Amino acid sequence: MEITKKFQKLSLAALIISLLPLTALVPMFLKITLPDGVHMVWAICNIVLTLTGFLLSMICVKSVESRSVVNIISAAISAVLMLMMLGIVALALILNILQ
């Protein structure tokens, strides 16, 4: 019983951490321009939060008894964000090589 409560708290934390990188869209919607330093720190925080959310959700999904819809959703959100980040890095490398 205690293990499932721990996994429930962990899965909720994974979902919240997985959704935090989406806050990077707020300045865009409000048409706010961030300074370069803040923009870089925000990008690093997004990468760390995405990786952390993915690892936490994988820990929760790995156990059969702790799988739930919340775990699967947080894993999917984190996976999509990680794929987007990898795509951006790959595109930057390819464009750098072509120039």
Side-chain angles (χ1 to χ4, degrees):
M1 192 68 155
E2 291 178 22
I3 294 174
T4 57
K5 287 194 177 219
K6 287 181 183 179
F7 276 122
Q8 286 176 347
K9 289 180 181 179
L10 192 62
S11 66
L12 184 62
L15 180 64
I16 292 170
I17 290 173
S18 296
L19 290 175
L20 281 177
L22 297 176
T23 59
L25 299 173
V26 172
M28 182 188 73
F29 290 135
L30 297 176
K31 297 183 180 173
I32 297 173
T33 305
L34 298 174
D36 288 338
V38 175
H39 190 50
M40 183 63 129
V41 169
W42 199 319
I44 292 170
C45 288
N46 283 339
I47 292 169
V48 170
L49 287 172
T50 301
L51 291 174
T52 305
F54 186 72
L55 289 175
L56 287 177
S57 59
M58 286 299 119
I59 290 170
C60 292
V61 170
K62 189 170 99 172
S63 176
V64 175
E65 67 234 3
S66 70
R67 271 187 209 149
S68 68
V69 175
V70 174
N71 294 337
I72 295 170
I73 289 172
S74 66
I77 291 170
S78 294
V80 166
L81 289 173
M82 282 180 52
L83 286 173
M84 284 175 48
M85 288 180 189
L86 288 174
I88 291 169
V89 168
L91 182 64
L93 288 173
I94 290 171
L95 290 176
N96 221 3
I97 291 171
L98 292 177
Q99 289 181 356

